């Protein structure tokens, strides 16, 4: 694969850093780029209970000779680390025989700072073994693991049935099977350490020592940090992923879609570092030796931020749409087996206004299929069943508006109303009838008072 040869030196260091992080090394970070001190990437590993540092020299050249290996050996000796220290030279090209002989001799002589050599072919083989593809000089994310898109112990539309239980005037047996779609959206869980110390002439004025973990929506477009509840859903279920088998899930859902990761792993790493750099930048107020108050902006360097892991996984976004007469109701959520986070709830929402949420009462209108709040649901006069204000036919009787399913019911009540006695007609507006009785009593009482009876 020739793309490695097209990289700049710094881009090659990014690739090397990402490869070793995916191999499971810890605290993988790049050294400062201010000068070539013989070390480009620094990382750690635990062998037989002992933590050791590995100092990596990256050479983006056709040929690497013995002087490069010797220089790294000297850099290892001066590197500040309490514990064993090893070295590694990684190149896009090849090593000369003297370079290979020098590294071999260090190992044979049990040198305290042995050096391993990895050429371009070795690097490509390692990337292939761990499932990484060197794509346009960067590491493309190849992932076939997903959180489970449904609860295996329940029907795939169980979440919809559960949501409809809160709706008045509709039974589960009256619900048609919803149309179910599953979109497998790529996300990455990023873990990073930020360690920085800020000093002035008065000493340390600010210190950062923090591990940050967040989840990023990783499909096409600019990366977006997931909401806390979605991040929790992902991180708490990373241990329970399953294979993204489109054939299998295609037999469960009416439609499935698998989206590709929009950027390379390196791009997400750089984006995370930029974000954390901005997040941790703060202004500190301190008093100098001369008793003068100063303000200093403390911004961590990129080298102060070490991305420990970038864990890709697919997050299922399940969408159910249920057709009820004239209306379609969408219910969408992110799924991880029995756990889920609601993204859109079109069921607990009045179709006639903006009222939504679980703290309201909603009623189903069997006449048109609307789900409406209390302000937009009425009792149908003839059949005494709910009807929404959006579809009801209305007419005023006894100065009160009555609601009907259709003109047929309205006409039937007109005939019934015509045959009613006066007091029956009056009772069609109980409030008005009650007020009339009260008014009549007041008149009687007034006359009695005027007549001196009381």
């Amino acid at each position: 694969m020739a793309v490695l040869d097209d990289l700049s030196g710094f881009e090659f260091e990014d690739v090397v850093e990402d490869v070793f992080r995916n191999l499971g090394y810890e605290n993988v970070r790049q050294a400062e780029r201010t000068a070539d001190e013989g070390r480009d990437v620094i990382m750690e590993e635990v062998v037989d209970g002992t933590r050791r540092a590995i100092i990596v020299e990256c050479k983006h050249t056709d040929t690497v000779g013995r002087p490069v290996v010797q220089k790294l050996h000297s850099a290892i000796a001066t590197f500040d680390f309490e514990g064993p220290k090893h070295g590694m030279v990684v190149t896009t090209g090849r090593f000369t025989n003297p370079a290979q002989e020098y590294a071999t001799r260090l190992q044979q002589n049990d040198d305290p700072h042995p050096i391993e050599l990895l050429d371009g072919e070795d690097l490509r083989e390692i990337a292939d073994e761990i499932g990484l593809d060197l794509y346009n000089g960067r590491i493309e994310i190849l992932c076939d693991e997903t959180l489970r898109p449904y609860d295996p112990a329940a029907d795939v539309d169980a979440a919809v049935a559960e949501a409809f239980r809160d709706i008045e005037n509709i039974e589960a047996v009256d619900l048609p099977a919803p149309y179910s779609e599953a979109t497998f959206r790529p996300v990455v869980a990023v873990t990073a350490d930020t360690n920085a110390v800020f000093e002035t002439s008065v000493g340390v004025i600010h210190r950062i020592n923090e591990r940050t973990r967040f989840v990023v929506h990783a499909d096409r477009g600019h990366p977006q940090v997931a909401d806390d509840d979605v991040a929790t859903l992902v991180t708490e279920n990373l241990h329970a992923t399953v294979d993204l088998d489109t054939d299998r899930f295609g037999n469960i859902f009416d439609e499935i879609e698998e989206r590709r990761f929009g950027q390379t792993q390196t791009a997400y790493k750089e984006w995370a570092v930029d974000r954390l750099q901005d997040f941790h930048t703060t202004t500190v107020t301190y008093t100098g030796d001369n008793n003068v108050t100063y303000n200093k902006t403390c911004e961590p360097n990129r080298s102060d931020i070490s991305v420990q892991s970038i864990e890709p996984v697919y997050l299922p976004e399940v969408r159910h749409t249920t057709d009820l007469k004239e209306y379609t109701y969408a219910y969408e959520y992110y799924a991880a087996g029995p756990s889920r986070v609601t993204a859109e709830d079109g069921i607990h929402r009045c179709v006639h206004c903006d009222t939504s949420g679980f703290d309201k009462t909603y009623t189903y209108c069997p006449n048109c299929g609307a789900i409406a709040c209390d302000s937009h649901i009425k009792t149908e006069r003839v059949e005494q069943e709910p009807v929404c204000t959006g579809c009801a036919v209305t007419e005023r009787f006894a100065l009160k508006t009555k609601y009907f399913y259709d003109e047929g019911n309205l006409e039937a009540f007109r005939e019934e109303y015509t045959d009613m006695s006066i007091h029956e007609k009056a009772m069609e507006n109980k409030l008005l009838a009650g007020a009339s009785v009260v008014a009549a009593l007041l008149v009687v009482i007034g006359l009695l008072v005027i007549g001196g009876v009381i």
Side-chain angles (χ1 to χ4, degrees):
M1 186 181 296
V3 291
L4 282 177
D5 301 330
D6 299 331
L7 301 179
S8 69
F10 288 158
E11 288 174 332
F12 180 56
E13 291 173 16
D14 288 335
V15 169
V16 171
E17 179 187 350
D18 290 336
V19 167
F20 284 120
R21 183 185 302 109
N22 281 274
L23 282 171
Y25 289 91
E26 301 177 6
N27 297 326
V28 183
R29 70 257 188 211
Q30 293 184 38
E32 288 281 1
R33 291 176 174 176
T34 55
D36 186 0
E37 300 179 350
R39 53 179 180 261
D40 297 313
V41 174
I42 303 166
M43 57 194 185
E44 299 170 17
E45 67 175 346
V46 177
V47 178
D48 296 331
T50 301
R51 179 172 292 276
R52 70 180 184 185
I54 302 175
I55 296 87
V56 183
E57 174 76 1
C58 302
K59 284 298 178 182
H60 187 257
T61 57
D62 292 335
T63 305
V64 177
R66 173 173 172 162
V68 172
V69 186
Q70 288 178 307
K71 183 179 180 181
L72 176 60
H73 188 255
S74 299
I76 297 171
T78 59
F79 180 66
D80 185 15
F81 183 81
E82 294 184 2
K85 297 177 288 186
H86 290 202
M88 187 180 297
V89 181
V90 182
T91 180
T92 53
R94 65 179 185 82
F95 295 96
T96 64
N97 288 334
Q100 296 180 52
E101 292 170 358
Y102 184 83
T104 299
R105 189 158 54 250
L106 291 176
Q107 295 181 5
Q108 291 176 342
N109 295 338
D110 292 328
D111 190 278
H113 309 311
I115 295 176
E116 183 180 356
L117 306 180
L118 292 179
D119 60 21
E121 184 177 348
D122 294 330
L123 183 58
R124 294 182 180 96
E125 289 179 356
I126 290 173
D128 183 63
E129 289 175 1
I130 60 177
L132 300 176
D133 183 22
L134 297 179
Y135 173 74
N136 287 339
R138 299 283 178 110
I139 295 181
E140 184 183 17
I141 296 179
L142 301 177
C143 177
D144 57 3
E145 294 292 312
T146 180
L147 303 182
R148 190 181 291 275
Y150 62 94
D151 181 0
D155 292 335
V156 69
D157 57 353
V160 177
E162 180 180 326
F164 271 107
R165 290 194 195 107
D166 299 329
I167 307 303
E168 302 287 339
N169 199 46
I170 191 168
E171 300 294 334
V173 293
D174 299 326
L175 291 173
Y179 185 83
S180 301
E181 305 168 73
T183 301
F184 294 92
R185 297 189 58 183
V187 298
V188 290
V190 180
T191 302
D193 291 337
T194 305
N195 294 283
V197 177
F198 302 89
E199 296 182 84
T200 67
S201 59
V202 300
V204 176
I205 61 169
H206 184 56
R207 189 188 303 271
I208 305 171
N209 183 10
E210 183 175 321
R211 169 159 287 191
T212 307
R213 186 172 176 84
F214 54 93
V215 173
V216 181
H217 290 292
D219 40 11
R220 294 187 182 278
H222 190 71
Q224 297 289 332
V225 176
D227 294 339
D228 289 343
D229 50 358
V230 175
T232 299
L233 180 74
V234 173
T235 55
E236 289 186 350
N237 291 278
L238 276 175
H239 66 285
T241 58
V242 296
D243 290 338
L244 178 51
D245 187 341
T246 54
D247 290 337
R248 172 190 173 195
F249 294 138
N251 294 326
I252 297 173
F253 295 94
D254 297 304
E255 184 178 340
I256 62 171
E257 178 186 358
E258 177 186 352
R259 297 185 181 177
R260 291 189 61 181
F261 284 82
Q263 299 188 39
T264 63
Q265 186 182 105
T266 305
Y268 291 119
K269 180 202 70 178
E270 292 175 347
W271 178 84
V273 170
D274 288 340
R275 179 179 180 274
L276 289 172
Q277 193 175 28
D278 291 340
F279 176 78
H280 287 296
T281 298
T282 186
T283 300
V284 175
T285 301
Y286 69 97
T287 302
D289 294 329
N290 55 1
N291 289 326
V292 176
T293 300
Y294 297 94
N295 292 323
K296 180 178 175 62
T297 299
C298 299
E299 179 182 13
N301 297 318
R302 292 181 64 85
S303 59
D304 296 329
I305 303 170
S306 174
V307 176
Q308 298 298 308
S309 64
I310 297 179
E311 301 173 86
V313 71
Y314 281 96
L315 171 63
E317 186 177 44
V318 179
R319 182 179 181 85
H320 300 283
T321 50
T322 305
D323 294 327
L324 293 174
K325 296 184 180 295
E326 300 175 16
Y327 293 90
T328 298
Y329 299 96
Y331 191 72
E332 187 173 301
Y333 53 88
Y334 296 106
S339 302
R340 57 182 179 267
V341 172
T342 302
E344 179 187 354
D345 183 358
I347 297 174
H348 295 87
R349 178 180 295 136
C350 177
V351 300
H352 302 299
C353 66
D354 294 331
T355 300
S356 61
F358 285 90
D359 58 340
K360 306 291 183 181
T361 299
Y362 303 92
T363 303
Y364 174 69
C365 171
N367 194 52
C368 67
I371 292 176
C373 66
D374 286 345
S375 298
H376 293 92
I377 203 79
K378 301 295 180 180
T379 299
E380 208 270 353
R381 175 58 185 85
V382 175
E383 301 184 28
Q384 295 297 304
E385 293 290 336
V387 64
C388 77
T389 57
C391 72
V393 176
T394 63
E395 191 167 312
R396 294 178 70 81
F397 295 89
L399 302 181
K400 183 177 177 62
T401 300
K402 301 292 180 179
Y403 296 84
F404 303 91
Y405 282 143
D406 51 30
E407 289 289 348
N409 279 19
L410 171 58
E411 183 60 34
F413 183 72
R414 283 179 184 149
E415 297 176 1
E416 180 182 340
Y417 187 78
T418 301
D419 295 336
M420 287 181 181
S421 62
I422 294 296
H423 77 276
E424 288 177 324
K425 289 180 178 179
M427 290 306 295
E428 288 299 320
N429 190 339
K430 295 181 180 179
L431 182 61
L432 179 62
S436 299
V437 171
V438 171
L441 288 175
L442 291 175
V443 170
V444 171
I445 293 173
L447 291 175
L448 294 175
V449 170
I450 292 173
V453 177
I454 56 174

